[in-house]
Amino acid sequence: MFTHSNFIATLTLAFALTLCAAFLLPAALTAVERRDRVVLRGNSFPAIIERETREGIEYRITPSQPNVQTRRWSEVVEIRYAGMEGGLFQAGMNDMRAGRYEEAATRFNALATGATREWEGAYGFYHLGEAWERAGDYEQAAAAFAALAGAFPEHRFWLDALYRRGINLAHIGNPEAQTVIDELLNYRAQNPAVGRGPEFRANAIRAVMQARAGQINEARRTANSVALAPRDGDTWFHWGNYWAQFLFNQGEFRDAAQQFQRMLTQVEDNPAQRAQLSLGLGVSLARGGGDRSQAIMELLKLDTLPYGSPAQRCEAQFWAGRLMLAEARENKDNEDDRISSFARTQYQRAILLLQAAAASISDSPAKAEAQNLLDQLQPEERGEEAEGGAPVLVEE
């Protein structure tokens, strides 16, 4: 729960960043070489982006240009800010991909609090909150998203910052989550043209509050009313993945697998999101949510394709190796020579996957689980060959 000191610190930081936006941004415009790049459908151009708003971007082509130009979000495909490649932002993103969330939080905090441009403050706080959330520190995550919403009330991240703050507060049972719900619903009432997005976000927070209170049936009904879609960007993915993980943690592996599968059919060309969904689907299937062969196929995607973080790859290798080992043991004495021969090949592959997981550079819990499974094998199972050239398959 927020303390008085945390609240004051958030307000102070928000005020400081507002001053940064007002007084320091013009100084950044003196460096033409630090121009950003705006990517449109079919072309791109260099610019100096002054602001991101809910409607679009405001920018100048050169620092001396007297008036800002605008582009609506419907025209903009991507923004590449000068400074994103390298420095604190890039280092923080590398830490995130490696599963080093606390280290990432340190870098994003430094980026946000030392901001001289709007994007550094807004993106710094956004990813700071995300890093703390992934690290399991929901209070600090909520504080980071609150700082973002307070410092940049016109930014396109504002609505999502409110949502993420509310989700994290609800996760720890902080009653201020209801305040966020009220703020979202009030914004919807005062701005009917924005559609039902704020309402869907409010319902998502309410579903988490109900789930935490043990009102599972009510939470399910509320969650079913959250009609977010890929056009809602990160919030769609965050909520869908969050709810699938909730179902998984409830032991409802089949429902979780269905949620992950549904999202995979909707997700756009985003390798990081696909990796996370494939892992969620594979592990849900592995835990009893469906066919074991389908689980192995889904998990092996992260082992063979060039996307996914080291932590995700480690977990996928562990589960795929564990499932393949179990399947190989079941089929090792099959009367059909083709099946028993395949079982020996599958067994070798399982051992390699478990060894790769155990040697992972990540801090994933699956790393220790893979090593424990390897330690339980007989010496000949760990690589010594039996007569005939194939590892001996020993029953557990």
Side-chain angles (χ1 to χ4, degrees):
M1 186 175 295
F2 283 130
T3 64
H4 179 71
S5 59
N6 284 339
F7 179 71
I8 295 300
T10 298
L11 286 182
T12 302
L13 191 51
F15 180 70
L17 284 173
T18 303
L19 290 180
C20 282
F23 297 109
L24 294 179
L25 285 178
L29 300 182
T30 61
V32 178
E33 67 274 10
R34 287 183 56 80
R35 284 193 296 177
D36 314 308
R37 181 156 290 274
V38 180
V39 181
L40 308 177
R41 289 175 174 80
N43 69 304
S44 65
F45 61 90
I48 302 167
I49 301 171
E50 292 194 13
R51 288 208 312 155
E52 291 186 38
T53 70
R54 295 179 197 123
E55 289 73 36
I57 61 171
E58 297 178 1
Y59 64 94
R60 301 176 195 269
I61 296 300
T62 66
S64 59
Q65 182 180 334
N67 299 316
V68 298
Q69 296 177 246
T70 62
R71 290 274 184 170
R72 299 188 67 83
W73 289 118
S74 58
E75 303 175 78
V76 178
V77 174
E78 184 185 0
I79 297 172
R80 300 171 188 163
Y81 282 103
M84 277 188 166
E85 295 182 1
L88 289 169
F89 182 84
Q90 186 64 58
M93 296 303 291
N94 290 340
D95 285 336
M96 291 283 279
R97 284 188 285 270
R100 299 188 296 267
Y101 302 124
E102 292 189 6
E103 290 90 338
T106 299
R107 297 184 194 277
F108 290 129
N109 182 65
L111 178 68
T113 56
T116 58
R117 297 189 64 194
E118 182 197 62
W119 81 264
E120 294 171 327
Y123 284 73
F125 274 129
Y126 187 88
H127 291 294
L128 173 62
E130 189 173 43
W132 281 126
E133 185 176 308
R134 292 193 189 183
D137 194 329
Y138 304 110
E139 184 173 357
Q140 291 209 65
F145 288 119
L148 169 54
F152 302 99
E154 302 299 323
H155 198 279
R156 69 178 175 116
F157 285 171
W158 179 80
L159 196 62
D160 290 337
L162 282 185
Y163 155 78
R164 295 289 283 267
R165 181 191 176 212
I167 287 287
N168 281 282
L169 290 172
H171 196 85
I172 58 177
N174 190 316
E176 288 187 34
Q178 183 60 51
T179 303
V180 179
I181 291 175
D182 295 340
E183 189 170 358
L184 286 166
L185 294 178
N186 287 337
Y187 177 73
R188 156 75 165 140
Q190 295 169 12
N191 301 274
V194 301
R196 299 183 65 189
E199 177 187 343
F200 294 150
R201 288 164 172 81
N203 286 341
I205 298 167
R206 184 177 288 113
V208 177
M209 293 175 67
Q210 292 168 333
R212 193 180 188 282
Q215 302 166 354
I216 304 303
N217 291 334
E218 291 87 342
R220 279 180 171 276
R221 284 193 292 269
T222 304
N224 288 336
S225 71
V226 181
L228 294 167
R231 64 176 177 272
D232 293 295
D234 286 348
T235 292
W236 165 79
F237 180 80
H238 179 270
W239 168 247
N241 186 65
Y242 185 99
W243 188 249
Q245 290 292 344
F246 169 77
L247 295 171
F248 181 93
N249 293 335
Q250 291 290 308
E252 299 176 19
F253 303 120
R254 190 170 298 277
D255 287 347
Q258 290 176 352
Q259 172 78 354
F260 283 123
Q261 182 68 71
R262 184 164 52 250
M263 292 183 69
L264 271 169
T265 64
Q266 295 176 292
V267 71
E268 297 176 354
D269 187 19
N270 187 316
Q273 291 183 350
R274 284 195 169 277
Q276 196 165 341
L277 294 175
S278 287
L279 179 61
L281 174 57
V283 177
S284 295
L285 292 169
R287 292 291 301 272
D291 180 75
R292 182 165 59 189
S293 296
Q294 183 186 356
I296 293 172
M297 181 179 66
E298 201 66 42
L299 292 163
L300 287 179
K301 287 181 182 178
L302 272 77
D303 186 51
T304 57
L305 296 177
Y307 56 69
S309 70
Q312 289 171 328
R313 190 179 298 275
C314 175
E315 189 171 359
Q317 288 168 336
F318 163 69
W319 277 104
R322 175 174 167 172
L323 293 175
M324 292 174 72
L325 185 64
E327 199 166 82
R329 283 170 166 164
E330 289 175 5
N331 295 322
K332 68 183 181 68
D333 294 325
N334 195 287
E335 295 179 356
D336 189 323
D337 288 342
R338 292 172 301 176
I339 296 177
S340 59
S341 176
F342 179 73
R344 288 192 291 272
T345 301
Q346 193 175 38
Y347 179 85
Q348 293 172 322
R349 176 65 169 145
I351 295 299
L352 290 174
L353 285 166
L354 291 170
Q355 289 173 338
S360 172
I361 63 172
S362 76
D363 295 326
S364 169
K367 179 176 181 177
E369 292 181 274
Q371 187 60 58
N372 288 339
L373 189 51
L374 288 169
D375 291 342
Q376 292 170 18
L377 302 178
Q378 298 297 324
E380 59 268 26
E381 285 188 295
R382 288 195 291 269
E384 295 181 8
E385 292 187 345
E387 189 175 347
V392 176
L393 295 180
V394 180
E395 296 287 355
E396 287 183 314

